[in-house]
Amino acid sequence: MDKKLKSIAQKLAKKFDGQLDDSLEQARVIVPSGKIVELCKELRDKHDFESLTGFSVVDYHPQTEPRFHLIYQFRSIAQNIYLEVRMELNGSELLVDSVTGIYPGVNWYEREAWDMFGIQFEGHPDLRRLLMPYDWEGHPLRKDYPLGYEEVQFTFNYDEIAKRKPSPKE
Amino acid sequence: MGVEQKLGNLGFVTHKLEDVVNWSRTRAMWPMLFGLACCAIEMMAAEASDYDMSRFGMELMRASPRQSDLMIVAGRVSRKMAPVLRRLYDQMPEPKWVIAMGDCASCGGVFNNYAVVQGVDEIVPVDVYVAGCPPRPEALIHGVLALHEKVQTETMKDWA
Amino acid sequence: MTMLEKVDVTLDELRHLVSDQALTGDTLLLNMGPQHPSTHGVLRLLLELDGEIIINCIPDVGFLHTGIEKNIEAKTFAQAEVMTDRLDYLNTMGNNLAYCLAVEKLTGLDVPERAQVIRVIFAELQRIASHLIWLATQALDLAAQSVFLFCFREREIILRIMELCSGQRMMTTYFRPGGLWRDVPVEFEEAVRDFIAYFPKRIEQYEGLLTKNPIFLDRVKGIGKMSKEEALAWGASGPTLRGSGVDFDLRKAHPYSGYEQYDFEVPVHEDGDVFARYMCRMQEFRESLKIIEQALDRLPMGPVRSNNRKIVPPPRAELGQSMEAVIHHFKLWTEGYDVPKGSVYQKVESPRGELGLFLESDGGPKPYRAYWRTPSFNHIQLFSWLARGHYVADLVAIIGSVDIVLGDTDR
């Protein structure tokens, strides 16, 4: 792994009370929930990470401490390195500070996280559903949301499914 | 036949009204641009030079539903898109036909989950289903020709 | 959830996005709806217009949301690859490549040299095919219809090569973890060499039709300007970023599948407008041809798939002779292979930008989380400020130049 990347990751882990995980030749810093805005400011101003290229959430459902990991992918073109920061989030408090003030490109990513996982972002200019219909209830990508698998209509069960399948009224 | 023999070269041709109307409807059916996903690319390829669909009368693709006869639903229909699809179908004037192109429009395809409508025949009545993921342009043209055959068998009772 | 009732978003929910003049009726709120010939898919744009000039532009996506990420979690690693083709349906082999590289990293699988070279050839052919559709639709929106027909003619040749090797024109699933599905037939090399000889004259034809055409230049120069800092702050990538003067290409910066062995250039333009992005992509045609030619010259003999029978199924000929092959085949088809615990972020350079797959496994046979960082999702956000102050006709040119695909965005 790049020496510069390793040193930045180690400095970050020490300052924000996190752990460094460098398996599979990637730098990953796992931090507890809280100071994400400070972390982003430090990366942008001191370490020259100009863009936040990806943001998503992983749900570890049956465990609640932490239940979610928020994954931020930072990119620095000047130094040609990618850094991943994971922030832990407990199931009971689903409110996080938004980083749209620092990296404006994360706007829709946070909207998608609200839509799919139900995590609210404080300070986001426009938190509405993005991918699901406007009046949908529930947050689909959580692990306790069902897939919505429908039984396939073969010849042996044709009639019983035809009864409950909606059909157009012309 | 007897009438024609009597009339000779006076220039009269007799034929059933249904056949003439059906023939004229099939020869200039204008599809509506309703390409949603991957199947739309194969539909565009069927319109382009190698598999020319304008040989079959479908020269133009009209974006406006008010000026089209045929809706080729090409691609997966998500739950958010379903009301839009129905509204566009209602805006098309009679006579209108629907071809469900591809597996996702026919039955939901690979995606059996919360977000995809399992077959567009839950929303609009479909005349021809074309299978494939995505169907080859030749398969789509075969579907269009099957629709033409179906239209040729329509009777006056269906129009009413 | 009711499907057949109409769902309208009222102005109250969007009040914070439109200017005050909309509420008094000074400006017009126009819906450039999900079904529109120029929006390249099911994209809905809510425009606030003052005459013909755009004051605000609010994009609305989600009309093609397919739940692919959740569906991948329900399938084994081998079955999930079929879903990856359908994400960005113009760059099907690139999606497969990202998935296969991610799985190979997690499992530590080796890929033979011949498979890597063929992967590069197909990735570059796919890039040319995708750029041909970009050119066809951008020119069609700006009323150059013959370019549309020419581009599709060229694309048919590439699709025929793909059908020759994998049996399918678009959703090939030809790359598999460990290498390729099967070896390329004998006619492959000749077909690709014919294409390399035939294509450069066609590029000149397109350039002759568009690049110096004063009508075209009038419609694209100075439109949709994006500065370097804005592009970086909003996380742009690919030709959209290179058109604003940033020299960054993942094939050079973080090479994968043997790209460091090939000699090619990355076109970069400074202006940041629609014409700069157009020129970047036109020059990428020629660079891709260079890479394909070098790869063909270098193509070694050898196996095309790894031998690790725990992950790669045995060839059918072996099933009649060896009991272990039958057992491996049975376990792979019924349970699937277990991938060790861990997560990886694999990025490739798709024709649109940086396509990244974040794949996490919990030690079982199914992926735990597959998050696709897609370039079009990022780039549609740009429309809200790129379109301000332009005419509606210019908006069409901007949408074409950013090259979005809605399957990529909505997943």
Side-chain angles (χ1 to χ4, degrees):
Chain A
M1 206 198 332
D2 207 43
K3 274 198 288 252
K4 209 187 274 185
L5 178 59
K6 196 155 185 172
S7 76
I8 295 179
Q10 278 166 343
K11 264 189 248 169
L12 217 60
K14 214 170 11 176
K15 178 159 181 191
F16 290 97
D17 193 26
Q19 306 157 317
L20 172 61
D21 171 14
D22 55 359
S23 59
L24 290 174
E25 291 179 17
Q26 296 175 83
R28 197 171 301 128
V29 179
I30 307 177
V31 296
S33 72
K35 313 185 191 145
I36 189 67
V37 177
E38 272 180 48
L39 195 136
C40 288
K41 271 206 191 117
E42 167 143 350
L43 279 176
R44 183 187 63 168
D45 299 328
K46 283 215 264 180
H47 299 292
D48 212 10
F49 277 83
E50 314 97 346
S51 350
L52 176 57
T53 49
F55 167 60
S56 185
V57 184
V58 185
D59 180 10
Y60 295 100
H61 168 57
Q63 72 177 71
T64 46
E65 307 262 344
R67 177 161 176 195
F68 295 110
H69 268 198
L70 276 71
I71 303 174
Y72 293 81
Q73 299 277 354
F74 293 96
R75 170 182 80 182
S76 166
I77 291 186
Q79 303 161 83
N80 197 11
I81 45 182
Y82 276 76
L83 173 68
E84 180 181 323
V85 173
R86 283 190 184 226
M87 193 170 95
E88 302 173 332
L89 194 63
N90 290 337
S92 47
E93 14 148 319
L94 293 179
L95 189 61
V96 184
D97 288 326
S98 162
V99 297
T100 42
I102 309 171
Y103 291 110
V106 83
N107 195 322
W108 274 22
Y109 289 101
E110 294 187 340
R111 272 179 75 180
E112 194 204 341
W114 156 240
D115 192 5
M116 294 282 135
F117 289 95
I119 300 179
Q120 300 218 6
F121 291 89
E122 191 175 322
H124 191 274
D126 179 27
L127 200 64
R128 297 178 283 141
R129 279 198 182 266
L130 183 69
L131 296 174
M132 302 307 295
Y134 315 109
D135 58 351
W136 195 267
E137 282 169 23
H139 298 281
L141 273 175
R142 287 188 176 183
K143 288 285 177 184
D144 49 354
Y145 192 94
L147 181 60
Y149 188 86
E150 273 185 30
E151 201 180 336
V152 184
Q153 194 178 28
F154 292 108
T155 356
F156 70 92
N157 57 5
Y158 191 86
D159 294 322
E160 50 176 281
I161 294 193
K163 264 185 276 179
R164 52 186 158 95
K165 207 163 147 71
S167 67
K169 296 185 293 281
E170 290 292 325
Chain B
M1 312 306 161
V3 178
E4 277 151 12
Q5 281 170 350
K6 287 265 162 67
L7 292 172
N9 313 12
L10 285 179
F12 285 100
V13 175
T14 58
H15 214 68
K16 281 198 310 195
L17 178 65
E18 287 166 354
D19 285 348
V20 173
V21 171
N22 288 338
W23 174 87
S24 60
R25 279 181 180 170
T26 59
R27 289 303 181 262
M29 217 185 253
W30 286 358
M32 180 168 78
L33 259 184
F34 207 70
L36 298 167
C38 351
C39 283
I41 310 294
E42 290 292 47
M43 187 167 69
M44 285 178 358
E47 289 273 316
S49 15
D50 269 25
Y51 306 97
D52 194 7
M53 254 205 329
S54 71
R55 302 179 268 172
F56 305 103
M58 310 201 165
E59 174 78 42
L60 306 158
M61 296 200 95
R62 285 296 184 198
S64 161
R66 306 275 184 202
Q67 295 167 5
S68 53
D69 313 294
L70 171 67
M71 183 157 88
I72 304 183
V73 184
R76 45 198 189 246
V77 181
S78 77
R79 299 256 173 224
K80 198 168 174 184
M81 190 67 188
V84 179
L85 177 70
R86 181 72 209 186
R87 210 190 233 186
L88 285 168
Y89 179 75
D90 290 334
Q91 283 178 349
M92 281 166 72
E94 289 277 350
K96 53 191 173 187
W97 298 277
V98 177
I99 291 185
M101 175 183 177
D103 286 342
C104 293
S106 312
C107 65
V110 202
F111 306 110
N112 196 343
N113 56 25
Y114 63 90
V116 172
V117 173
Q118 300 294 304
V120 89
D121 52 2
E122 290 188 7
I123 307 175
V124 292
V126 175
D127 293 301
V128 174
Y129 300 85
V130 181
C133 191
R136 287 195 63 129
E138 293 140 332
L140 177 63
I141 294 178
H142 177 71
V144 166
L145 292 177
L147 180 67
H148 284 186
E149 281 173 24
K150 179 176 180 193
V151 173
Q152 293 280 35
T153 62
E154 281 185 359
T155 61
M156 278 216 256
K157 272 194 250 164
D158 297 328
W159 302 342
Chain C
M1 59 218 150
T2 51
M3 289 185 304
L4 297 181
E5 279 176 29
K6 287 192 283 202
V7 183
D8 292 318
V9 180
T10 57
L11 192 57
D12 290 332
E13 288 154 24
L14 298 175
R15 194 179 296 254
H16 56 286
L17 294 168
V18 300
S19 72
D20 290 328
Q21 293 168 306
L23 303 169
T24 56
D26 275 342
T27 56
L28 175 71
L29 277 175
L30 185 70
N31 179 31
M32 202 161 153
Q35 190 250 1
H36 189 99
S38 311
T39 54
H40 297 267
V42 278
L43 171 65
R44 176 170 174 241
L45 292 169
L46 199 58
L47 301 172
E48 187 190 343
L49 300 174
D50 177 16
E52 273 255 348
I53 302 185
I54 299 175
I55 311 255
N56 272 316
C57 170
I58 306 166
D60 188 10
V61 294
F63 290 96
L64 200 58
H65 179 62
T66 327
I68 289 187
E69 294 183 352
K70 194 157 178 96
N71 219 335
I72 287 183
E73 291 173 18
K75 297 195 181 266
T76 64
F77 276 94
Q79 291 169 337
E81 193 184 346
V82 169
M83 311 223 116
T84 62
D85 282 305
R86 278 110 184 130
L87 277 169
D88 174 0
Y89 38 84
L90 295 179
N91 179 35
T92 56
M93 295 198 143
N95 302 343
N96 285 341
L97 184 61
Y99 183 80
C100 290
L101 288 172
V103 172
E104 283 154 13
K105 245 191 213 169
L106 276 178
T107 55
L109 206 51
D110 62 301
V111 182
E113 176 77 21
R114 186 175 166 87
Q116 290 194 6
V117 176
I118 296 181
R119 277 181 178 181
V120 166
I121 296 178
F122 271 114
E124 293 306 313
L125 277 175
Q126 187 73 66
R127 189 181 310 271
I128 295 179
S130 170
H131 281 334
L132 279 170
I133 296 217
W134 158 77
L135 184 62
T137 45
Q138 165 132 58
L140 187 65
D141 288 341
L142 299 177
Q145 264 190 338
S146 41
V147 181
F148 171 80
L149 294 170
F150 292 160
C151 289
F152 269 86
R153 177 189 58 190
E154 263 65 87
R155 193 164 180 261
E156 288 296 323
I157 305 178
I158 299 182
L159 291 179
R160 240 164 249 158
I161 296 178
M162 288 185 180
E163 196 183 6
L164 180 69
C165 300
S166 69
Q168 251 273 27
R169 283 154 58 102
M170 278 169 71
M171 313 298 174
T172 54
T173 326
Y174 187 54
F175 303 158
R176 305 278 167 104
L180 307 172
W181 170 50
R182 64 173 194 184
D183 206 347
V184 289
V186 191
E187 301 92 359
F188 171 72
E189 185 167 341
E190 192 186 322
V192 179
R193 282 203 196 273
D194 283 343
F195 178 71
I196 299 178
Y198 161 87
F199 197 52
K201 290 195 285 293
R202 298 299 172 193
I203 309 179
E204 283 167 22
Q205 195 180 30
Y206 306 144
E207 290 186 325
L209 276 173
L210 289 175
T211 311
K212 297 222 171 65
N213 189 338
I215 304 178
F216 183 74
L217 289 177
D218 222 2
R219 283 202 72 171
V220 300
K221 272 218 162 173
I223 305 286
K225 267 190 180 298
M226 190 162 63
S227 73
K228 200 167 167 175
E229 294 74 36
E230 286 173 330
L232 285 174
W234 285 81
S237 50
T240 316
L241 184 63
R242 295 199 279 275
S244 296
V246 180
D247 183 4
F248 186 70
D249 185 331
L250 279 168
R251 293 173 290 172
K252 290 245 181 215
H254 293 260
Y256 49 91
S257 190
Y259 264 106
E260 60 268 8
Q261 304 163 7
Y262 303 106
D263 174 34
F264 62 100
E265 280 160 29
V266 175
V268 178
H269 287 261
E270 298 289 329
D271 296 328
D273 59 356
V274 171
F275 188 65
R277 300 193 271 272
Y278 162 85
M279 284 308 291
C280 280
R281 289 196 182 98
M282 290 302 278
Q283 284 164 355
E284 279 185 13
F285 276 132
R286 296 187 202 272
E287 301 301 323
S288 292
L289 281 180
K290 261 199 250 173
I291 300 178
I292 297 177
E293 191 162 0
Q294 289 170 41
L296 265 186
D297 291 332
R298 179 200 294 273
L299 191 60
M301 303 302 281
V304 287
R305 207 158 176 199
S306 157
N307 269 329
N308 186 345
R309 290 279 168 255
K310 300 288 173 223
I311 297 179
V312 173
R316 290 210 82 100
E318 249 179 63
L319 288 181
Q321 284 145 17
S322 141
M323 190 59 200
E324 283 151 9
V326 175
I327 298 177
H328 280 306
H329 181 104
F330 178 74
K331 299 269 316 180
L332 285 172
W333 255 252
T334 50
E335 280 176 9
Y337 46 88
D338 284 345
V339 169
K341 202 166 147 101
S343 75
V344 68
Y345 179 68
Q346 173 65 43
K347 38 200 184 291
V348 300
E349 176 83 12
S350 96
R352 273 149 207 95
E354 173 190 333
L355 175 68
L357 167 61
F358 172 84
L359 191 61
E360 168 150 351
S361 154
D362 62 344
K366 300 188 181 176
Y368 191 74
R369 172 88 171 107
Y371 158 58
W372 290 87
R373 184 269 175 213
T374 50
S376 309
F377 188 75
N378 210 316
H379 293 165
I380 293 192
Q381 299 179 71
L382 302 174
F383 292 156
S384 47
W385 52 272
L386 260 186
R388 283 206 184 116
H390 288 111
Y391 294 119
V392 178
D394 296 333
L395 174 66
V396 165
I398 295 175
I399 297 178
S401 79
V402 172
D403 195 11
I404 50 170
V405 165
L406 267 297
D408 223 9
T409 312
D410 294 341
R411 283 166 267 131

